[in-house]
Amino acid sequence: MKALLMLENGMTFEGQGFGDERDVVCEIVFNSAMCGYSELLTDPSYAGQGVVMTYPMIGNYGICIEDAESGKPWLSAFIVHNVSGLASNFRCDLDLNSYLQNNHIPGMYGLDTRALTRVLRESGTMKGMIAYGENPDREAMKKVIADFQMVSCVPLVSVQHGRVYGDGPVRIALHDYGVKQNIIRSLVQRGCTVKCFAHDCTMEDMLDFRPDGIMLSNGPGDPQENRKAIGELKRIYEYGIPTFGICLGHQLMALSQGFDTYKLKYGHRGINHPVKELADNRVYITSQNHGFVVDAKTVDPQKAQVSFISMNDGSVEGLTYASGRVFTVQFHPEACGGPKDTGYLFDRFLTLIEKGRL
């Protein structure tokens, strides 16, 4: 079926539909990864977004369910230049088109994704709508886009009932804002017992688990919408338990200490983003997926120091707090699917916990 993508600035891109061919309106973003689309599709941080892949051929190795980062895909739409009609991989469970159909995710291919990405880079992330059929009503589409408002997706993607993973000697309470499974796997592989707690849990809920440390997960959307979580993190910081935050967790901890966040023009999304660790002047390649960052100008040096910066735009990529018990990063050290340069940060977290036990 024919498909039309309209952006909020009025620009249109024509292509073909695949997946679940139903009209959808969402925020349009782009991702520069060449692979890892199975993990991308199931990353809860993409909830409410239509993802444009800059790499031209997607779907050639199909979908490997074992690689999923959550139980289902969360993005609103998947937009590619060319979707492979052949899924060739010994681990493949099904092809991309069938996977999107089974999970009711609209797809679009055959458009100039390079041109679309240039528009998003120059004009910034914007709302958009995909409509299917021969002659979609463009005026009606404009109205739908104008009326569309992004809402917080954290309550949608957060765990509703606590689940425990692993049986190691180190107990980790994970504050789940939309966690990627490889964060949990990275902790379990290092000898942790991990219990997930909902986004709106209290500090007392987590402390009842008697944790040795607290993990703050990734998640979707504007961090400033999560007022209750921010308040609880302020209490957790004052309590003094070792804490490690990733992505949205990094932003929420910063907000809890009075720092500010702002929305990037087009975000950081891909598995090829360089960051520098300032302490040793080393550069690492990282996986990233975020549209907001901590404002460096609002970071109080008496409370925290910037530990990592982006080599692309100089934005804050990590903070180390003056208490000595909390550190957070904007990128994904669990990096599934790749790269694994910064996996050592999980070891740093466990070392921090061990020091706290002495």
Tab-separated table of all heavy atoms in Angstrom, residues 269-322:
chain	number	residue	atom	x	y	z
A	269	ARG	N	21.111	9.466	18.852
A	269	ARG	CA	20.544	8.119	18.714
A	269	ARG	C	21.398	7.320	17.742
A	269	ARG	O	21.450	7.642	16.556
A	269	ARG	CB	19.086	8.184	18.243
A	269	ARG	CG	18.176	8.916	19.234
A	269	ARG	CD	16.747	9.054	18.742
A	269	ARG	NE	15.947	9.749	19.732
A	269	ARG	CZ	15.802	11.088	19.781
A	269	ARG	NH1	16.418	11.860	18.891
A	269	ARG	NH2	15.058	11.633	20.720
A	270	GLY	N	22.049	6.294	18.256
A	270	GLY	CA	22.909	5.465	17.433
A	270	GLY	C	23.870	4.680	18.299
A	270	GLY	O	23.855	4.785	19.537
A	271	ILE	N	24.741	3.876	17.656
A	271	ILE	CA	25.705	3.068	18.403
A	271	ILE	C	27.134	3.472	18.041
A	271	ILE	O	28.059	2.673	18.133
A	271	ILE	CB	25.486	1.563	18.159
A	271	ILE	CG1	25.630	1.199	16.669
A	271	ILE	CG2	24.124	1.144	18.675
A	271	ILE	CD1	25.523	-0.296	16.408
A	272	ASN	N	27.309	4.740	17.669
A	272	ASN	CA	28.620	5.205	17.192
A	272	ASN	C	28.953	6.608	17.706
A	272	ASN	O	29.614	7.375	17.022
A	272	ASN	CB	28.643	5.192	15.656
A	272	ASN	CG	27.417	5.888	15.055
A	272	ASN	OD1	26.623	6.501	15.768
A	272	ASN	ND2	27.256	5.783	13.749
A	273	HIS	N	28.514	6.926	18.926
A	273	HIS	CA	28.709	8.271	19.459
A	273	HIS	C	29.950	8.317	20.360
A	273	HIS	O	30.008	7.613	21.380
A	273	HIS	CB	27.489	8.713	20.257
A	273	HIS	CG	26.306	9.053	19.402
A	273	HIS	ND1	25.928	10.353	19.149
A	273	HIS	CD2	25.433	8.265	18.720
A	273	HIS	CE1	24.863	10.348	18.362
A	273	HIS	NE2	24.545	9.089	18.088
A	274	PRO	N	30.943	9.160	20.041
A	274	PRO	CA	32.147	9.247	20.875
A	274	PRO	C	31.938	10.152	22.083
A	274	PRO	O	31.356	11.231	21.977
A	274	PRO	CB	33.183	9.852	19.922
A	274	PRO	CG	32.370	10.686	18.968
A	274	PRO	CD	31.045	9.979	18.817
A	275	VAL	N	32.423	9.681	23.236
A	275	VAL	CA	32.420	10.500	24.452
A	275	VAL	C	33.815	10.456	25.071
A	275	VAL	O	34.561	9.497	24.887
A	275	VAL	CB	31.374	10.011	25.489
A	275	VAL	CG1	29.978	10.000	24.905
A	275	VAL	CG2	31.738	8.641	26.044
A	276	LYS	N	34.151	11.507	25.798
A	276	LYS	CA	35.448	11.558	26.475
A	276	LYS	C	35.247	11.504	27.983
A	276	LYS	O	34.448	12.262	28.534
A	276	LYS	CB	36.206	12.839	26.119
A	276	LYS	CG	37.565	12.957	26.821
A	276	LYS	CD	38.161	14.340	26.695
A	276	LYS	CE	38.726	14.572	25.307
A	276	LYS	NZ	39.485	15.867	25.244
A	277	GLU	N	35.999	10.605	28.636
A	277	GLU	CA	36.041	10.609	30.094
A	277	GLU	C	37.123	11.598	30.511
A	277	GLU	O	38.305	11.422	30.196
A	277	GLU	CB	36.327	9.221	30.657
A	277	GLU	CG	36.265	9.198	32.173
A	277	GLU	CD	36.250	7.816	32.767
A	277	GLU	OE1	36.665	6.860	32.088
A	277	GLU	OE2	35.807	7.684	33.930
A	278	LEU	N	36.734	12.644	31.207
A	278	LEU	CA	37.642	13.750	31.494
A	278	LEU	C	38.760	13.356	32.461
A	278	LEU	O	39.858	13.903	32.387
A	278	LEU	CB	36.852	14.932	32.055
A	278	LEU	CG	35.774	15.492	31.111
A	278	LEU	CD1	35.060	16.672	31.765
A	278	LEU	CD2	36.366	15.914	29.775
A	279	ALA	N	38.520	12.405	33.349
A	279	ALA	CA	39.516	12.041	34.354
A	279	ALA	C	40.774	11.458	33.730
A	279	ALA	O	41.883	11.701	34.206
A	279	ALA	CB	38.923	11.056	35.349
A	280	ASP	N	40.616	10.662	32.650
A	280	ASP	CA	41.793	10.054	32.028
A	280	ASP	C	42.005	10.489	30.579
A	280	ASP	O	42.880	9.978	29.891
A	280	ASP	CB	41.728	8.530	32.111
A	280	ASP	CG	40.494	7.953	31.425
A	280	ASP	OD1	39.792	8.710	30.726
A	280	ASP	OD2	40.233	6.751	31.591
A	281	ASN	N	41.155	11.416	30.121
A	281	ASN	CA	41.304	11.983	28.770
A	281	ASN	C	41.214	10.916	27.683
A	281	ASN	O	41.849	11.022	26.626
A	281	ASN	CB	42.632	12.741	28.636
A	281	ASN	CG	42.587	13.797	27.548
A	281	ASN	OD1	41.562	14.458	27.350
A	281	ASN	ND2	43.682	13.960	26.820
A	282	ARG	N	40.395	9.895	27.927
A	282	ARG	CA	40.207	8.826	26.945
A	282	ARG	C	38.846	8.950	26.281
A	282	ARG	O	37.862	9.370	26.905
A	282	ARG	CB	40.321	7.450	27.603
A	282	ARG	CG	41.720	7.114	28.094
A	282	ARG	CD	41.801	5.669	28.542
A	282	ARG	NE	41.561	4.747	27.436
A	282	ARG	CZ	41.560	3.413	27.575
A	282	ARG	NH1	41.765	2.868	28.762
A	282	ARG	NH2	41.344	2.644	26.536
A	283	VAL	N	38.792	8.561	25.002
A	283	VAL	CA	37.548	8.623	24.234
A	283	VAL	C	37.006	7.209	24.030
A	283	VAL	O	37.766	6.280	23.711
A	283	VAL	CB	37.780	9.298	22.869
A	283	VAL	CG1	36.522	9.221	22.003
A	283	VAL	CG2	38.173	10.766	23.067
A	284	TYR	N	35.705	7.057	24.222
A	284	TYR	CA	35.034	5.777	24.049
A	284	TYR	C	33.896	5.947	23.044
A	284	TYR	O	33.273	7.008	22.960
A	284	TYR	CB	34.449	5.283	25.373
A	284	TYR	CG	35.467	5.112	26.469
A	284	TYR	CD1	35.769	6.162	27.342
A	284	TYR	CD2	36.130	3.904	26.636
A	284	TYR	CE1	36.706	6.005	28.351
A	284	TYR	CE2	37.073	3.742	27.648
A	284	TYR	CZ	37.363	4.790	28.500
A	284	TYR	OH	38.291	4.646	29.499
A	285	ILE	N	33.616	4.876	22.291
A	285	ILE	CA	32.462	4.879	21.396
A	285	ILE	C	31.287	4.275	22.151
A	285	ILE	O	31.410	3.213	22.784
A	285	ILE	CB	32.753	4.067	20.124
A	285	ILE	CG1	33.988	4.634	19.417
A	285	ILE	CG2	31.551	4.116	19.180
A	285	ILE	CD1	33.876	6.093	19.023
A	286	THR	N	30.146	4.942	22.086
A	286	THR	CA	29.012	4.555	22.931
A	286	THR	C	27.720	4.419	22.148
A	286	THR	O	27.562	4.950	21.044
A	286	THR	CB	28.786	5.601	24.042
A	286	THR	OG1	28.366	6.837	23.444
A	286	THR	CG2	30.044	5.825	24.860
A	287	SER	N	26.789	3.707	22.759
A	287	SER	CA	25.416	3.606	22.282
A	287	SER	C	24.579	4.662	23.000
A	287	SER	O	24.686	4.808	24.222
A	287	SER	CB	24.873	2.206	22.578
A	287	SER	OG	23.509	2.105	22.238
A	288	GLN	N	23.764	5.394	22.245
A	288	GLN	CA	22.963	6.460	22.853
A	288	GLN	C	21.552	6.487	22.277
A	288	GLN	O	21.323	6.112	21.119
A	288	GLN	CB	23.634	7.826	22.644
A	288	GLN	CG	25.043	7.904	23.215
A	288	GLN	CD	25.516	9.318	23.445
A	288	GLN	OE1	24.736	10.265	23.448
A	288	GLN	NE2	26.805	9.466	23.660
A	289	ASN	N	20.633	6.954	23.092
A	289	ASN	CA	19.247	7.127	22.664
A	289	ASN	C	18.566	8.120	23.601
A	289	ASN	O	17.977	7.736	24.602
A	289	ASN	CB	18.501	5.789	22.677
A	289	ASN	CG	17.027	5.957	22.360
A	289	ASN	OD1	16.597	6.982	21.851
A	289	ASN	ND2	16.240	4.947	22.671
A	290	HIS	N	18.689	9.396	23.287
A	290	HIS	CA	18.056	10.399	24.141
A	290	HIS	C	17.849	11.698	23.371
A	290	HIS	O	18.585	12.012	22.434
A	290	HIS	CB	18.904	10.663	25.389
A	290	HIS	CG	20.287	11.168	25.090
A	290	HIS	ND1	20.623	12.498	25.159
A	290	HIS	CD2	21.417	10.521	24.728
A	290	HIS	CE1	21.912	12.643	24.845
A	290	HIS	NE2	22.410	11.459	24.578
A	291	GLY	N	16.846	12.442	23.787
A	291	GLY	CA	16.559	13.737	23.190
A	291	GLY	C	16.819	14.899	24.124
A	291	GLY	O	16.790	16.056	23.697
A	292	PHE	N	17.069	14.602	25.421
A	292	PHE	CA	17.303	15.636	26.428
A	292	PHE	C	18.676	15.421	27.063
A	292	PHE	O	19.186	14.296	27.106
A	292	PHE	CB	16.224	15.578	27.510
A	292	PHE	CG	14.854	15.961	27.031
A	292	PHE	CD1	14.050	15.051	26.356
A	292	PHE	CD2	14.353	17.241	27.252
A	292	PHE	CE1	12.792	15.400	25.906
A	292	PHE	CE2	13.089	17.600	26.806
A	292	PHE	CZ	12.312	16.684	26.131
A	293	VAL	N	19.262	16.503	27.556
A	293	VAL	CA	20.547	16.428	28.259
A	293	VAL	C	20.534	17.355	29.462
A	293	VAL	O	19.710	18.267	29.564
A	293	VAL	CB	21.732	16.827	27.343
A	293	VAL	CG1	21.956	15.799	26.256
A	293	VAL	CG2	21.535	18.213	26.761
A	294	VAL	N	21.483	17.113	30.367
A	294	VAL	CA	21.672	17.998	31.516
A	294	VAL	C	22.383	19.255	31.043
A	294	VAL	O	23.342	19.198	30.259
A	294	VAL	CB	22.505	17.298	32.606
A	294	VAL	CG1	22.806	18.263	33.759
A	294	VAL	CG2	21.778	16.064	33.119
A	295	ASP	N	21.906	20.413	31.500
A	295	ASP	CA	22.497	21.699	31.141
A	295	ASP	C	23.750	21.932	31.982
A	295	ASP	O	23.666	22.089	33.209
A	295	ASP	CB	21.472	22.813	31.387
A	295	ASP	CG	21.936	24.170	30.884
A	295	ASP	OD1	23.144	24.327	30.600
A	295	ASP	OD2	21.091	25.077	30.789
A	296	ALA	N	24.913	21.938	31.324
A	296	ALA	CA	26.188	22.072	32.038
A	296	ALA	C	26.251	23.363	32.847
A	296	ALA	O	26.879	23.402	33.918
A	296	ALA	CB	27.349	22.009	31.055
A	297	LYS	N	25.621	24.410	32.358
A	297	LYS	CA	25.685	25.717	33.032
A	297	LYS	C	24.978	25.680	34.379
A	297	LYS	O	25.218	26.545	35.230
A	297	LYS	CB	25.061	26.800	32.138
A	297	LYS	CG	25.782	27.023	30.823
A	297	LYS	CD	25.271	28.252	30.100
A	297	LYS	CE	23.792	28.151	29.737
A	297	LYS	NZ	23.548	27.087	28.725
A	298	THR	N	24.105	24.700	34.612
A	298	THR	CA	23.349	24.649	35.864
A	298	THR	C	23.940	23.663	36.869
A	298	THR	O	23.411	23.528	37.979
A	298	THR	CB	21.888	24.253	35.588
A	298	THR	OG1	21.830	22.893	35.124
A	298	THR	CG2	21.263	25.164	34.542
A	299	VAL	N	25.007	22.957	36.484
A	299	VAL	CA	25.625	21.978	37.387
A	299	VAL	C	26.437	22.717	38.450
A	299	VAL	O	27.413	23.406	38.137
A	299	VAL	CB	26.510	20.990	36.611
A	299	VAL	CG1	27.231	20.049	37.579
A	299	VAL	CG2	25.677	20.185	35.618
A	300	ASP	N	26.034	22.577	39.689
A	300	ASP	CA	26.725	23.207	40.820
A	300	ASP	C	28.003	22.424	41.121
A	300	ASP	O	27.936	21.253	41.520
A	300	ASP	CB	25.807	23.210	42.040
A	300	ASP	CG	26.429	23.895	43.246
A	300	ASP	OD1	27.631	24.207	43.218
A	300	ASP	OD2	25.683	24.106	44.235
A	301	PRO	N	29.185	23.017	40.940
A	301	PRO	CA	30.436	22.284	41.172
A	301	PRO	C	30.637	21.841	42.616
A	301	PRO	O	31.482	20.992	42.886
A	301	PRO	CB	31.520	23.291	40.751
A	301	PRO	CG	30.866	24.630	40.840
A	301	PRO	CD	29.427	24.402	40.506
A	302	GLN	N	29.859	22.413	43.535
A	302	GLN	CA	29.921	21.962	44.923
A	302	GLN	C	29.154	20.655	45.128
A	302	GLN	O	29.351	19.962	46.120
A	302	GLN	CB	29.337	23.039	45.853
A	302	GLN	CG	30.070	24.362	45.794
A	302	GLN	CD	31.531	24.232	46.212
A	302	GLN	OE1	31.841	23.584	47.219
A	302	GLN	NE2	32.426	24.826	45.432
A	303	LYS	N	28.294	20.339	44.165
A	303	LYS	CA	27.478	19.133	44.267
A	303	LYS	C	27.929	18.024	43.324
A	303	LYS	O	27.782	16.836	43.640
A	303	LYS	CB	26.007	19.455	43.980
A	303	LYS	CG	25.339	20.348	45.005
A	303	LYS	CD	23.872	20.543	44.654
A	303	LYS	CE	23.146	21.386	45.699
A	303	LYS	NZ	21.701	21.554	45.353
A	304	ALA	N	28.444	18.396	42.140
A	304	ALA	CA	28.806	17.377	41.155
A	304	ALA	C	29.816	17.935	40.167
A	304	ALA	O	29.909	19.156	39.969
A	304	ALA	CB	27.564	16.890	40.411
A	305	GLN	N	30.544	17.013	39.551
A	305	GLN	CA	31.490	17.353	38.504
A	305	GLN	C	31.124	16.610	37.223
A	305	GLN	O	30.697	15.444	37.275
A	305	GLN	CB	32.921	16.971	38.920
A	305	GLN	CG	33.444	17.733	40.123
A	305	GLN	CD	33.671	19.202	39.835
A	305	GLN	OE1	34.070	19.574	38.729
A	305	GLN	NE2	33.419	20.051	40.827
A	306	VAL	N	31.274	17.289	36.090
A	306	VAL	CA	31.058	16.624	34.803
A	306	VAL	C	32.182	15.618	34.594
A	306	VAL	O	33.365	15.966	34.689
A	306	VAL	CB	31.023	17.641	33.654
A	306	VAL	CG1	30.908	16.916	32.307
A	306	VAL	CG2	29.861	18.615	33.835
A	307	SER	N	31.818	14.355	34.321
A	307	SER	CA	32.814	13.286	34.169
A	307	SER	C	33.018	12.864	32.723
A	307	SER	O	34.104	12.419	32.342
A	307	SER	CB	32.411	12.073	35.004
A	307	SER	OG	31.096	11.644	34.666
A	308	PHE	N	31.962	12.986	31.903
A	308	PHE	CA	32.037	12.648	30.485
A	308	PHE	C	31.408	13.774	29.675
A	308	PHE	O	30.430	14.393	30.120
A	308	PHE	CB	31.265	11.357	30.163
A	308	PHE	CG	31.867	10.092	30.685
A	308	PHE	CD1	31.586	9.646	31.975
A	308	PHE	CD2	32.700	9.305	29.893
A	308	PHE	CE1	32.112	8.466	32.460
A	308	PHE	CE2	33.228	8.120	30.362
A	308	PHE	CZ	32.943	7.697	31.654
A	309	ILE	N	31.947	14.005	28.485
A	309	ILE	CA	31.325	14.949	27.548
A	309	ILE	C	31.221	14.303	26.175
A	309	ILE	O	31.986	13.393	25.832
A	309	ILE	CB	32.118	16.271	27.446
A	309	ILE	CG1	33.542	16.008	26.932
A	309	ILE	CG2	32.122	17.018	28.761
A	309	ILE	CD1	34.288	17.271	26.540
A	310	SER	N	30.262	14.775	25.385
A	310	SER	CA	30.116	14.323	24.002
A	310	SER	C	31.192	14.956	23.136
A	310	SER	O	31.427	16.164	23.208
A	310	SER	CB	28.735	14.704	23.469
A	310	SER	OG	28.676	14.527	22.058
A	311	MET	N	31.846	14.159	22.314
A	311	MET	CA	32.845	14.687	21.390
A	311	MET	C	32.195	15.318	20.166
A	311	MET	O	32.861	15.991	19.388
A	311	MET	CB	33.799	13.574	20.953
A	311	MET	CG	34.649	13.009	22.082
A	311	MET	SD	35.694	14.259	22.854
A	311	MET	CE	36.894	14.537	21.546
A	312	ASN	N	30.899	15.104	19.979
A	312	ASN	CA	30.203	15.698	18.832
A	312	ASN	C	29.741	17.118	19.112
A	312	ASN	O	29.886	18.003	18.268
A	312	ASN	CB	29.002	14.832	18.435
A	312	ASN	CG	29.413	13.532	17.771
A	312	ASN	OD1	30.489	13.449	17.175
A	312	ASN	ND2	28.578	12.518	17.864
A	313	ASP	N	29.158	17.346	20.302
A	313	ASP	CA	28.609	18.681	20.570
A	313	ASP	C	29.013	19.237	21.941
A	313	ASP	O	28.562	20.311	22.324
A	313	ASP	CB	27.085	18.678	20.425
A	313	ASP	CG	26.382	17.707	21.372
A	313	ASP	OD1	27.026	17.244	22.342
A	313	ASP	OD2	25.199	17.390	21.139
A	314	GLY	N	29.838	18.512	22.697
A	314	GLY	CA	30.304	19.014	23.983
A	314	GLY	C	29.311	18.924	25.113
A	314	GLY	O	29.579	19.413	26.219
A	315	SER	N	28.152	18.305	24.887
A	315	SER	CA	27.126	18.238	25.931
A	315	SER	C	27.536	17.272	27.038
A	315	SER	O	28.425	16.429	26.878
A	315	SER	CB	25.782	17.816	25.331
A	315	SER	OG	25.877	16.545	24.719
A	316	VAL	N	26.865	17.394	28.181
A	316	VAL	CA	27.176	16.572	29.355
A	316	VAL	C	26.790	15.112	29.091
A	316	VAL	O	25.662	14.808	28.707
A	316	VAL	CB	26.424	17.081	30.596
A	316	VAL	CG1	26.642	16.147	31.788
A	316	VAL	CG2	26.858	18.495	30.939
A	317	GLU	N	27.733	14.196	29.317
A	317	GLU	CA	27.483	12.770	29.140
A	317	GLU	C	27.667	11.975	30.427
A	317	GLU	O	27.478	10.766	30.442
A	317	GLU	CB	28.404	12.203	28.058
A	317	GLU	CG	28.085	12.677	26.648
A	317	GLU	CD	26.891	11.976	26.032
A	317	GLU	OE1	26.372	11.033	26.654
A	317	GLU	OE2	26.474	12.381	24.930
A	318	GLY	N	28.062	12.658	31.504
A	318	GLY	CA	28.207	11.955	32.770
A	318	GLY	C	28.458	12.921	33.912
A	318	GLY	O	29.007	14.009	33.710
A	319	LEU	N	28.051	12.530	35.114
A	319	LEU	CA	28.256	13.333	36.318
A	319	LEU	C	28.733	12.432	37.454
A	319	LEU	O	28.239	11.306	37.621
A	319	LEU	CB	26.962	14.031	36.736
A	319	LEU	CG	26.445	15.155	35.833
A	319	LEU	CD1	25.024	15.535	36.229
A	319	LEU	CD2	27.359	16.370	35.897
A	320	THR	N	29.680	12.932	38.226
A	320	THR	CA	30.112	12.273	39.450
A	320	THR	C	29.794	13.214	40.606
A	320	THR	O	30.196	14.384	40.595
A	320	THR	CB	31.623	11.982	39.416
A	320	THR	OG1	31.899	11.118	38.316
A	320	THR	CG2	32.062	11.306	40.708
A	321	TYR	N	29.073	12.720	41.609
A	321	TYR	CA	28.549	13.576	42.665
A	321	TYR	C	29.500	13.662	43.855
A	321	TYR	O	30.263	12.735	44.142
A	321	TYR	CB	27.167	13.078	43.093
A	321	TYR	CG	26.114	13.386	42.050
A	321	TYR	CD1	25.958	12.554	40.941
A	321	TYR	CD2	25.333	14.525	42.136
A	321	TYR	CE1	25.024	12.842	39.954
A	321	TYR	CE2	24.387	14.830	41.154
A	321	TYR	CZ	24.246	13.989	40.069
A	321	TYR	OH	23.329	14.295	39.091
A	322	ALA	N	29.423	14.795	44.524
A	322	ALA	CA	30.356	15.111	45.610
A	322	ALA	C	30.252	14.149	46.780
A	322	ALA	O	31.215	13.983	47.538
A	322	ALA	CB	30.117	16.549	46.087
